[in-house]
């Protein structure tokens, strides 16, 4: 079994529907879903604001690379195009952190592979990842370049304007039994 933290975002088309497609597609693998946040784009490319959330998932059949492949499937289904780095996108699914079973509990995966670098090399710099992650896992920790800290400390270390640019919305990725958004 592996557990993963997936950061999902969209700033094109029906942004909320794109995010919901991930939660719906993961179904019973979902452990927790954060509230939805509105954030300004990151990376300096002129584009519309994003809707972002974090999904905590686990599955006995998937390893860390399996989570990446699953995220890429959702991106393809949303017609994601990769033309401009940090550009507008229908759906972005990033594996931020992943752990696999160890003898005394989950062991965070570390990888420098360019296909899947873990933990995500920029997660500690992005309030739009850290804030929703705190919502689903308040005691989570992240190790960056050998420094292990609670994610709340990584968040506190960010510039005030980075943190202030992440706005909680009233939108929800949960659905009621009848299929309507709650």
């Amino acid at each position: 079994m592996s557990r993963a933290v997936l950061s999902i975002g969209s700033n094109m088309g029906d942004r909320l529907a794109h995010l919901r497609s991930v939660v719906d597609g993961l179904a019973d693998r979902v452990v927790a879903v954060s509230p939805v946040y509105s954030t300004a784009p990151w990376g300096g490319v002129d584009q519309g604001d994003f809707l972002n959330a974090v999904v905590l998932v686990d599955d006995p059949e998937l390893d860390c690379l399996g989570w990446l492949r699953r995220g890429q499937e959702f991106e393809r289904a949303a017609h994601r195009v990769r033309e401009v780095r940090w550009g507008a996108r229908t759906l972005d699914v990033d594996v931020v952190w992943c752990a696999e079973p160890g003898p005394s509990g989950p062991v965070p995966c570390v990888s420098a592979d360019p296909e899947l670098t873990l933990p995500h090399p920029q997660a500690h710099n992005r309030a739009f990842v850290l804030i929703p992650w705190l919502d689903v896992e308040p005691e989570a920790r992240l190790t960056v370049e050998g420094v292990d800290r609670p994610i709340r400390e990584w968040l506190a270390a960010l510039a005030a304007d980075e943190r202030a640019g992440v706005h909680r919305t009233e939108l929800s990725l949960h659905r009621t039994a009848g299929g309507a958004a709650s």
Side-chain angles (χ1 to χ4, degrees):
M1 173 199 279
S2 68
R3 178 169 280 219
V5 174
L6 306 178
S7 176
I8 59 177
S10 174
N11 74 339
M12 290 179 67
D14 188 339
R15 301 176 302 163
L16 189 60
H18 291 309
L19 298 185
R20 283 187 178 142
S21 73
V22 175
V23 175
D24 292 347
L26 291 170
D28 60 352
R29 295 177 181 110
V30 175
V31 174
V33 179
S34 77
V36 177
Y37 289 85
S38 175
T39 61
W42 200 91
V45 177
D46 187 31
Q47 59 191 302
D49 286 352
F50 278 83
L51 290 182
N52 291 99
V54 161
V55 184
L56 180 62
V57 291
D58 65 25
D59 187 311
E61 303 298 320
L62 290 179
D63 60 8
C64 299
L65 201 53
W67 289 117
L68 174 67
R69 300 280 184 258
R70 193 72 182 109
Q72 291 169 336
E73 290 171 12
F74 291 124
E75 290 175 349
R76 278 192 299 278
H79 307 289
R80 162 81 187 261
V81 178
R82 296 177 188 268
E83 293 177 350
V84 177
R85 185 173 189 187
W86 295 317
R89 59 211 94 153
T90 55
L91 182 62
D92 189 30
V93 180
D94 286 335
V95 180
V96 174
W97 178 93
C98 190
E100 293 181 343
S104 58
V107 177
C109 299
V110 177
S111 169
D113 186 320
E115 185 177 17
L116 179 60
T117 305
L118 287 171
H120 189 288
Q122 292 299 318
H124 67 291
N125 291 323
R126 296 180 175 164
F128 69 84
V129 170
L130 298 175
I131 290 172
W133 189 358
L134 276 172
D135 288 329
V136 296
E137 232 180 0
E139 302 305 316
R141 301 183 68 84
L142 181 63
T143 302
V144 177
E145 297 178 3
V147 178
D148 180 63
R149 297 163 71 179
I151 58 173
R152 74 179 62 260
E153 289 182 17
W154 289 113
L155 180 61
L158 295 179
D161 62 333
E162 173 75 13
R163 294 188 311 268
V166 180
H167 306 281
R168 188 172 177 160
T169 72
E170 297 299 319
L171 302 171
S172 174
L173 298 181
H174 297 287
R175 295 190 184 270
T176 62
S182 61

